[in-house]
Amino acid sequence: MKLELLAPAKNLEQGILAVNCGADAVYIGADRFGARTAVGNTVQDIEKLVAHAHRYWAKVFVAFNTILYDNELEEAGKLIWQLHAAGVDALIIQDMGILEMNLPKIPLHASTQTFITEPEKAVFLEKQGFERLILARELSLDQIREIRKKTTVELEAFVHGALCVCFSGQCYFSQAVCRRSGNRGECCQACRYKYDLEDSSGRCLLHNKHLLSLHDYNLSDYLPQLIEAGISSFKIEGRLKDADYIKNVVPFYRKKLDAALAKYPSLHTRASSGIVETSFQPKPEETFNRGFTHYFIEGKRHPIANFSAATFIGNKIGKVKSLGRDCFVFDGNVALANGDGISFFDKSGKLHGSNVNNVLDDKVYLQSMEGLVNGAEIYRNFNRLFLKELDQGTVERLIDVDFELFECNGRICVKGCDEDCISAEVELDVPVTFANDDRKGMEMIRKQLSRTGGSIFRCRNVFLPESGVYFIPASVLNQVRRDILSALEKKRMQQLSPSGVVTVRDENYPYSLGENLNYQANVSNRLAKQFYLKHGVKTIEPAFELQNHVTGKVIMTTRHCIKYECGLCPRHKNPNPANLLKNDFTEPLYLVNSGSRFRLRFDCAKCQMEIMAP
């Protein structure tokens, strides 16, 4: 089985960077219908990215995962054909109406927004011709194994990046408060807002806290377990992130996945070609993150949220030992440097930050001392030296080539064979002569054939016949090298594997999750309705975005539980509760922001929390 590292691309430049950093595939949005409207790209740019990725046999997937309205169906259909003509390898979709369109032969991936948490849903989507299923982030290894047992299609899982607190595709919070739909790519990230927590009497239990903001995902230590569970694509979140995130995180996971692959050489292979070399040591903890969690991958609860901040506070490096007028001394082992950025919380829990102006001996001089107190924990959120190293560092992805020199029909021939066994030969128009000095002759041949700079190749070995070392002018060797590498690249494109298998749909297979669909099925157009009716559904409620009266409807369903985080879960003990609330409140509880009160409902049997529209 081929194992794929899948990276995000905000734009063409970052897509090329992701490929060069070792991604086996990248996902990018077109100028419309992707779940990140802020980062759309032209078909022309996507075509350029495809051309670059395919040189390494890497793939490009287009996120086409918004729900569609009736007046958008024709335009969406035209864009799909344009993307197919541009050579994209798959579409990532949420809207089932797309399956009712006149589609080109392009593989389809079921977006995580299709809410795949059960084997029954996975089987249904496989029957509808999806080549790949992108699983919900909330699943445990055991749940992934159960889905793997019932399906044969590729399974993709997120392994790194920001976490949506709600089940993907089931969040209507942004639409409810801002009239901006997450399922339409316009999420206002209401989950990162500050809220008060009140009980039924209006008593404030927690004030001005980020009660819905989760840590970021990091499953870098779980890749072998995910492989064993049946995952073949390992996805990094981040189409809104900048280039330093790509340059740092993608090589880190490339090394991790290669190490995991080395444990199963007879079972798994890389999904694309080329070896990545960096001049720096990747450190994902040094680029933007909200602290890391492995969420529910082990199937048990643990703290997953940070009520105090919804931004990058940095890595804890020590505590304040003493304060001066414009400096402090701390007890950490990490050395701060001029230009670093630090953050800390004041006595009231408010987050502050400052730049480091100077460091003299053990004294750290800050641009601002506001809020800093003795005993405060210090976090570094801008590591100037590392980020300078990252910015100036090089990353290179090269395909190994072995050169062989031999005599054929009285002439010298040079053959180049790359790591995928693609080969090309050139017959030299020079007489067969041997070098007077074998050592110098060999050095010259190796030197000229190794000058592969500017290409996607690097010389791994040079093999010569036992009869001796040929004498070949340097100018001839240089031309031979260029001709062989050019021929290899052309042959690689000719032998590029087809972009997935387009399977036939079973239009008679019944929808397995009931005959009556509510707004959470996200049916927003006539073709999506037509799709579900074909599969035995009787009644269909319009999508949340099409409704005028939503009071009391569930706008978020999440496995994050405020009761658990506060140490008040009746089923699971939290060893490190975020806040020590007394259990003397009266339910229901409410989230309050700018006068809006959102009722909370706790489903302890499912270990879930629901938020209701006000």
Side-chain angles (χ1 to χ4, degrees):
M1 181 170 69
K2 290 185 177 181
L3 300 184
E4 170 189 282
L5 178 62
L6 176 57
K10 175 192 286 189
N11 50 38
L12 169 62
E13 292 75 20
Q14 287 187 206
I16 290 173
L17 177 62
V19 171
N20 293 346
C21 286
D24 298 304
V26 296
Y27 61 103
I28 189 170
D31 55 8
R32 290 204 67 187
F33 310 122
R36 296 287 186 274
T37 55
V39 285
N41 295 273
T42 65
V43 173
Q44 290 75 21
D45 275 357
I46 292 173
E47 187 171 20
K48 292 176 184 176
L49 178 57
V50 168
H52 181 75
H54 283 181
R55 300 169 78 195
Y56 298 94
W57 290 359
K59 295 184 177 182
V60 175
F61 308 140
V62 171
F64 208 88
N65 53 344
T66 63
I67 57 173
L68 306 173
Y69 294 153
D70 279 328
N71 64 351
E72 297 171 327
L73 294 174
E74 182 177 356
E75 182 184 355
K78 289 179 180 178
L79 182 53
I80 289 172
W81 279 92
Q82 291 170 358
L83 292 168
H84 174 62
V88 302
D89 297 285
L91 288 182
I92 304 168
I93 70 167
Q94 173 189 188
D95 196 314
M96 294 298 117
I98 291 174
L99 298 182
E100 298 293 302
M101 294 180 176
N102 173 30
L103 295 177
K105 290 186 177 180
I106 186 170
L108 299 177
H109 296 178
S111 169
T112 188
Q113 289 163 296
T114 58
F115 188 41
I116 306 169
T117 60
E118 302 290 340
E120 293 77 14
K121 181 70 170 287
V123 170
F124 175 75
L125 292 172
E126 178 175 357
K127 295 289 186 180
Q128 301 319 304
F130 283 95
E131 178 196 56
R132 177 181 298 183
L133 309 180
I134 307 171
L135 303 181
R137 295 169 174 90
E138 291 80 3
L139 298 186
S140 67
L141 287 167
D142 286 341
Q143 289 173 306
I144 293 171
R145 292 186 187 103
E146 285 303 308
I147 291 175
R148 176 73 289 163
K149 288 178 184 177
K150 301 290 178 63
T151 58
T152 60
V153 291
E154 297 173 358
L155 299 181
E156 177 180 309
F158 283 89
V159 294
H160 194 92
L163 283 167
C164 291
V165 64
C166 182
F167 285 109
S168 293
Q170 303 293 291
C171 186
Y172 312 100
F173 208 133
S174 178
Q175 175 70 18
V177 300
C178 302
R179 306 301 294 174
R180 290 169 52 184
S181 168
N183 282 319
R184 299 269 299 160
E186 300 169 340
C187 180
C188 68
Q189 294 194 313
C191 54
R192 306 297 181 186
Y193 294 0
K194 289 182 177 180
Y195 296 91
D196 291 344
L197 180 66
E198 294 183 356
D199 69 2
S200 60
S201 67
R203 183 163 62 102
C204 184
L205 307 175
L206 293 171
H207 175 62
N208 214 28
K209 297 292 185 182
H210 298 277
L211 297 176
L212 299 177
S213 183
L214 301 187
H215 294 306
D216 287 359
Y217 215 15
N218 187 330
L219 294 186
S220 58
D221 291 332
Y222 286 86
L223 299 189
Q225 294 94 318
L226 288 165
I227 293 171
E228 179 272 331
I231 298 299
S232 59
S233 179
F234 304 84
K235 187 172 194 171
I236 298 168
E237 181 276 338
R239 281 200 293 131
L240 294 175
K241 298 291 177 62
D242 292 328
D244 62 345
Y245 176 87
I246 299 297
K247 194 173 181 179
N248 194 13
V249 174
V250 175
F252 175 80
Y253 275 87
R254 179 73 268 163
K255 291 181 179 181
K256 283 281 189 176
L257 188 55
D258 286 346
L261 277 164
K263 297 180 180 179
Y264 311 97
S266 62
L267 296 176
H268 305 294
T269 59
R270 283 187 57 179
S272 63
S273 309
I275 303 300
V276 175
E277 293 183 349
T278 63
S279 64
F280 56 90
Q281 185 66 33
K283 298 177 182 178
E285 69 277 8
E286 296 291 354
T287 48
F288 185 95
N289 68 83
R290 300 177 179 89
F292 291 126
T293 175
H294 51 73
Y295 215 26
F296 296 99
I297 198 65
E298 292 183 329
K300 61 183 180 182
R301 277 201 167 275
H302 57 93
I304 58 176
N306 182 4
F307 289 175
S308 298
T311 187
F312 181 34
I313 66 172
N315 303 300
K316 186 164 68 174
I317 60 174
K319 287 186 177 182
V320 174
K321 286 173 60 178
S322 62
L323 289 173
R325 186 173 62 85
D326 56 355
C327 66
F328 71 94
V329 176
F330 74 111
D331 63 359
N333 295 321
V334 175
L336 287 170
N338 298 355
D340 281 354
I342 66 167
S343 65
F344 47 87
F345 294 94
D346 64 19
K347 287 183 178 180
S348 68
K350 181 181 178 181
L351 182 65
H352 295 263
S354 180
N355 290 329
V356 175
N357 280 344
N358 201 4
V359 179
L360 294 175
D361 298 325
D362 61 348
K363 292 183 176 64
V364 180
Y365 292 83
L366 296 181
Q367 195 173 75
S368 172
M369 296 282 288
E370 181 184 355
L372 192 62
V373 295
N374 272 318
E377 292 183 332
I378 301 296
Y379 301 83
R380 180 168 62 186
N381 57 9
F382 185 83
N383 186 339
R384 186 182 66 84
L385 295 180
F386 172 74
L387 292 175
K388 180 180 179 181
E389 180 186 5
L390 183 67
D391 181 57
Q392 296 179 351
T394 59
V395 59
E396 202 171 27
R397 180 174 184 172
L398 298 171
I399 299 169
D400 282 332
V401 176
D402 294 331
F403 290 98
E404 181 183 3
L405 282 72
F406 56 95
E407 189 175 338
C408 180
N409 299 322
R411 290 188 177 274
I412 300 172
C413 289
V414 182
K415 177 181 179 182
C417 184
D418 73 13
E419 61 188 57
D420 296 304
C421 298
I422 308 296
S423 62
E425 283 186 26
V426 172
E427 187 178 281
L428 276 61
D429 190 21
V430 294
V432 179
T433 57
F434 292 91
N436 295 326
D437 187 319
D438 283 357
R439 183 181 63 81
K440 288 184 178 180
M442 186 63 179
E443 285 179 358
M444 195 269 287
I445 291 173
R446 286 188 180 278
K447 179 180 178 181
Q448 302 308 319
L449 293 182
S450 295
R451 288 181 169 176
T452 57
S455 76
I456 62 171
F457 301 100
R458 71 175 180 184
C459 175
R460 180 171 55 183
N461 294 301
V462 176
F463 299 102
L464 296 173
E466 294 182 359
S467 56
V469 178
Y470 297 122
F471 170 75
I472 307 172
S475 59
V476 174
L477 283 171
N478 287 336
Q479 187 60 50
V480 164
R481 182 194 69 246
R482 288 191 289 266
D483 291 345
I484 287 179
L485 296 185
S486 176
L488 284 177
E489 187 155 0
K490 289 179 181 177
K491 283 192 172 184
R492 288 185 61 80
M493 299 302 288
Q494 293 168 357
Q495 297 188 33
L496 183 68
S497 298
S499 55
V501 178
V502 181
T503 56
V504 178
R505 285 175 54 195
D506 183 350
E507 296 194 8
N508 296 316
Y509 194 85
Y511 184 67
S512 54
L513 300 178
E515 295 183 345
N516 305 300
L517 299 184
N518 68 10
Y519 64 95
Q520 292 172 312
N522 299 324
V523 177
S524 59
N525 60 73
R526 57 181 174 79
L527 292 184
K529 184 176 181 180
Q530 177 178 300
F531 170 85
Y532 284 109
L533 291 175
K534 277 186 179 181
H535 294 280
V537 173
K538 303 299 184 186
T539 63
I540 301 173
E541 183 182 9
F544 188 92
E545 290 79 0
L546 298 178
Q547 301 195 25
N548 294 320
H549 304 289
V550 297
T551 300
K553 288 186 179 293
V554 176
I555 57 174
M556 181 180 285
T557 304
T558 173
R559 292 201 67 189
H560 163 57
C561 177
I562 290 175
K563 279 188 179 181
Y564 175 79
E565 293 292 328
C566 292
L568 297 175
C569 174
R571 297 183 61 193
H572 302 283
K573 178 177 174 57
N574 184 343
N576 299 295
N579 292 274
L580 295 175
L581 287 180
K582 293 181 180 179
N583 197 4
D584 61 351
F585 51 82
T586 55
E587 295 195 51
L589 299 179
Y590 294 84
L591 295 180
V592 181
N593 176 279
S594 300
S596 296
R597 300 180 87 229
F598 304 89
R599 183 163 66 89
L600 302 181
R601 187 165 66 191
F602 299 92
D603 187 339
C604 294
K606 294 182 179 179
C607 215
Q608 294 177 0
M609 182 180 76
E610 295 175 333
I611 302 177
M612 324 298 289

